[in-house]
């Protein structure tokens, strides 16, 4: 009875510890590279902030960019800033201090905001695809359909729709008992490594995560595929080669971003659990949390003549 009592006491103590905080391993398996990684990720974070801020600025001040397409792009750039701010500053702090302690509440908040912003990005990319669909397939009704009020409603819906599901999902995951190890082999509080720490059967939680991934990833992706199917069909019917080239150029940037984002998100959250190792999952997460947000403003800037033109005008004013 004494041994049983001691075991119960130790288990209770461990349970209390894990409820208080987790330990993010991050990149602790490469201690000699901690400072180098800090410098690289800090540079990447500043690049994302600066590039997206410039896009937001020029879409606001340049009258030629006061169209639905660039209104959505400005919102997308703001979303990207919020999206990377959820994970990178915390990761930078852990790399600098070489400590990965994160409280239970902070971990839940990080996960909640990460998935809320990720879901918003899925919906906003779908809205941007719909905008291109209307512009190319129904150009005569474009200004009537994509009026300013409707654009605001689409953006608001993109931001709000994911909130109830994410709150419920996060609450469900963090209501689980965490009585085993409190060490998370990741650089942020992601679902797969958190569920690995939970005691008991997590089948219901894993199923809920899969359903959410289907709703937030697969459904928007299918809508985008249908939109671009109709867009490409309409473009191929154009008699002018110049018209086809211009139509393709307005869609190519968005399509590139969609392929990069949905490709990595699908691999990460819709792949069967046994097929993905912890290190592989961490590497894939680096792509959709850091590297793709770094590429997005570059893709939109270099592959868009209107953005390039507006940027030159801004630079001409600042550096005559």
């Amino acid at each position: 009875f004494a041994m049983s009592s001691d075991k119960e006491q130790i288990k209770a103590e461990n349970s209390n510890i894990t409820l208080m905080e987790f330990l993010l391993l991050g990149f602790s398996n490469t201690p000699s590279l901690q400072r180098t990684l800090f410098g690289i990720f800090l540079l990447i974070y500043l690049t994302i902030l600066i590039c997206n801020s410039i896009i937001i600025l020029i879409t606001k001040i340049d009258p030629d960019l006061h169209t639905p397409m660039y209104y959505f792009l400005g919102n997308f750039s703001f979303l990207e800033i919020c999206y990377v701010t959820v994970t990178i500053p915390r990761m930078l702090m852990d790399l600098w201090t070489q400590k990965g302690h994160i409280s239970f509440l902070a971990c839940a908040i990080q996960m909640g905001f990460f998935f809320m912003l990720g879901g918003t990005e899925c919906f906003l990319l779908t809205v941007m695809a719909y905008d291109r669909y209307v512009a190319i397939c129904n150009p005569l009704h474009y200004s009537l359909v994509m009026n300013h009020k409707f654009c605001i409603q689409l953006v608001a819906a993109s931001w709000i729709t994911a909130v109830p599901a994410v709150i419920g999902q996060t609450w469900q995951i963090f209501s689980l008992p965490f009585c085993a190890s409190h060490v998370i082999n990741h650089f942020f509080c992601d679902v797969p490594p958190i569920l690995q720490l939970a005691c008991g059967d997590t089948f219901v939680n894993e199923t809920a995560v899969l359903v959410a991934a289907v709703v937030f990833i697969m459904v928007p992706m299918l809508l985008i595929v249908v939109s671009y199917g109709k867009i490409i069909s309409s473009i191929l019917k154009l008699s002018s080669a110049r018209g086809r080239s211009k139509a393709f150029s307005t869609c190519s940037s968005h399509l590139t971003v969609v392929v990069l984002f949905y490709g990595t998100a699908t691999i990460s959250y819709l792949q069967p659990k046994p097929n993905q190792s912890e290190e592989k999952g961490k590497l894939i997460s680096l792509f959709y949390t850091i590297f793709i947000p770094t590429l997005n403003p570059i893709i939109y800037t270099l592959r868009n003549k209107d953005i390039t033109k507006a940027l030159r005008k801004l630079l001409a004013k600042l550096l005559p």
Side-chain angles (χ1 to χ4, degrees):
F1 288 110
M3 285 180 65
S4 176
S5 177
D6 290 340
K7 285 180 180 179
E8 287 177 4
Q9 185 178 354
I10 292 169
K11 186 175 180 180
E13 287 173 358
N14 287 338
S15 180
N16 288 334
I17 291 169
T18 54
L19 282 173
M20 289 170 62
E21 67 175 25
F22 292 112
L23 179 65
L24 290 165
L25 287 184
F27 305 96
S28 57
N29 57 336
T30 55
S32 59
L33 295 175
Q34 298 284 296
R35 292 290 186 262
T36 305
L37 289 172
F38 174 85
I40 292 170
F41 290 135
L42 177 61
L43 181 62
I44 287 173
Y45 183 53
L46 292 175
T47 302
I48 293 170
L49 293 183
I50 293 168
C51 290
N52 282 294
S53 297
I54 290 171
I55 290 175
I56 293 168
L57 178 64
I58 60 178
T59 55
K60 288 288 185 184
I61 65 173
D62 195 314
D64 294 336
L65 301 183
H66 290 173
T67 63
M69 177 180 173
Y70 296 109
Y71 172 73
F72 294 134
L73 180 57
N75 276 277
F76 183 75
S77 294
F78 175 70
L79 174 62
E80 287 284 83
I81 291 172
C82 298
Y83 181 72
V84 296
T85 301
V86 171
T87 54
I88 298 182
R90 173 81 214 187
M91 183 177 65
L92 289 173
M93 185 182 74
D94 292 341
L95 284 169
W96 184 257
T97 61
Q98 298 189 21
K99 297 175 183 178
H101 297 282
I102 182 169
S103 70
F104 187 85
L105 180 61
C107 191
I109 290 171
Q110 185 185 53
M111 180 186 287
F113 273 102
F114 178 77
F115 283 104
M116 183 191 76
L117 295 169
T120 302
E121 185 156 342
C122 291
F123 293 134
L124 193 54
L125 285 171
T126 309
V127 166
M128 293 168 80
Y130 176 71
D131 172 67
R132 292 299 83 211
Y133 162 74
V134 177
I136 293 170
C137 299
N138 296 294
L140 297 177
H141 299 95
Y142 181 69
S143 58
L144 182 66
V145 174
M146 301 304 293
N147 59 74
H148 188 60
K149 181 181 178 182
F150 185 55
C151 290
I152 292 172
Q153 289 172 342
L154 287 173
V155 170
S158 298
W159 280 90
I160 295 168
T161 304
V163 174
V166 167
I167 290 173
Q169 191 78 257
T170 306
W171 178 83
Q172 186 184 44
I173 290 170
F174 282 87
S175 296
L176 292 168
F178 296 97
C179 52
S181 170
H182 67 292
V183 177
I184 303 172
N185 188 13
H186 215 300
F187 57 89
F188 76 101
C189 292
D190 202 359
V191 170
I194 292 288
L195 286 179
Q196 287 178 10
L197 302 183
C199 295
D201 186 13
T202 58
F203 175 77
V204 173
N205 302 89
E206 289 171 12
T207 303
V209 170
L210 183 61
V211 170
V214 169
V215 171
F216 290 106
I217 298 174
M218 290 304 295
V219 172
M221 188 168 70
L222 287 173
L223 292 173
I224 291 172
V225 169
V226 170
S227 297
Y228 272 102
K230 293 185 177 182
I231 287 169
I232 292 169
S233 176
S234 296
I235 291 173
L236 293 175
K237 290 177 183 176
L238 295 174
S239 56
S240 167
R242 187 178 178 182
R244 287 197 297 269
S245 176
K246 185 178 180 181
F248 272 121
S249 68
T250 61
C251 300
S252 59
S253 300
H254 178 256
L255 193 55
T256 304
V257 170
V258 165
V259 170
L260 289 172
F261 179 78
Y262 279 101
T264 51
T266 302
I267 292 170
S268 184
Y269 293 102
L270 293 175
Q271 189 181 37
K273 189 177 176 183
N275 294 344
Q276 193 178 106
S277 65
E278 289 181 343
E279 293 304 319
K280 184 182 176 183
K282 199 186 297 186
L283 181 63
I284 294 169
S285 297
L286 273 176
F287 273 92
Y288 66 78
T289 57
I290 297 175
F291 295 127
I292 292 175
T294 309
L295 292 174
N296 287 349
I298 298 170
I299 292 168
Y300 276 114
T301 304
L302 296 179
R303 297 181 64 87
N304 190 300
K305 292 179 182 178
D306 293 334
I307 291 285
T308 307
K309 183 182 175 183
L311 192 55
R312 285 185 187 139
K313 284 163 65 176
L314 179 62
L315 289 174
K317 290 179 181 178
L318 297 175
L319 304 168

